[in-house]
Amino acid sequence: MKICRTKAELRDAVQGFRAQNETIGLVPTMGYLHEGHMTLVRTAKAQTNRVIITIFVNPTQFGDPSDLDAYPRDEARDFALLKAEGVDAVFAPAVEEMYDPSAQTVVETEQLANMLMGALRPDHYKGVCTIVAKLFNIAQADKAFFGEKDYQQLLVIKTMVRDLDMPIEAIGVPTVREIDGLAMSSRNVRLSPEDRQAALILNKALAYGDYEASDGREAADLENDIRAFIAREPRATVQSVDVRDAASLEVPTGQITAPVVILLAATFGDVLLIDQRVCDPN
Ligand code: PAF
């Protein structure tokens, strides 16, 4: 497994793969890998000849500097996991390698980036799109793999790829859950044991919402019901509950008749967790 710290090193590795006519899969991550990331790697391996994973805690997508500092990191462990999984190259650059101090170009999906989670975290998706566009340019992969857990991020990235004619396919991979239903996330390690238990309410709320969505409900009513359901867990502070059209993230009008996505964000202590489920009412 090649470990690349610079863009030049990664470009060299990519040239080597291309010289052998191999297809390349890219898995962008911020490290502190868990089973969810490994599922992305395995999906990439199944669909492409060579897999590149990037590990970069991207400062431009964090609003709060303390959230950036608190983001868990364990590079040695990540490298060992990736080697065992048979990854071909890891790109783990320093911040200075990725951002020129005089950089002035950003990528933004205007509407999608500013609704929902983007309204709660201004500039977050602009930071995501900009770094992902840079990684796409450096890695020149055929396909890139992202978890469906961050549903809005996946739509934002797919939209960027479409709008800018990027020669890459962005692929969503279903959320991987712990045995008790908690969606895997690098943030889970920051939960106290009590909050870890309390956080199970999110997956239960999604199952409840899915059941209710097939009952001719309107989106706003469903959102209220899900909010009330989560409020039964005193350790949960709901940040947002949104029921949106699964394809456009627009607010559905009238009774739910087409697939919707339920998007949840809640804090447990100071840890923000998100989860989602697509529900087909038909
Ligand atoms: O989902 C993530 O881990 C990040 O947002 C990503 C896509 C790697 C960009 O920094």
Side-chain angles (χ1 to χ4, degrees), residues 51-117:
V51 174
I52 299 171
I53 182 156
T54 69
I55 297 179
F56 181 64
V57 183
N58 174 35
T60 65
Q61 68 188 77
F62 287 82
D64 179 353
S66 64
D67 208 15
L68 173 63
D69 290 344
Y71 201 84
R73 295 160 168 91
D74 190 345
E75 199 180 73
R77 182 179 150 279
D78 287 349
F79 286 176
L81 284 171
L82 294 171
K83 201 165 171 200
E85 206 61 53
V87 163
D88 297 282
V90 181
F91 181 47
V95 172
E96 304 73 53
E97 176 69 9
M98 289 311 287
Y99 288 108
D100 190 291
S102 56
Q104 49 184 303
T105 308
V106 293
V107 183
E108 188 170 19
T109 51
E110 291 180 331
Q111 255 168 275
L112 272 178
N114 293 308
M115 57 164 74
L116 299 167
M117 194 55 81

Side-chain angles (χ1 to χ4, degrees), residues 28-30 37 54 56 58 61 71 124 127-128 131-132 135 146 150 153 157:
T29 80
M30 297 206 296
H37 296 112
T54 69
F56 181 64
N58 174 35
Q61 68 188 77
Y71 201 84
H124 170 71
V128 169
I131 192 66
V132 170
L135 294 171
F146 298 89
D150 193 337
Q153 169 171 283
I157 292 169

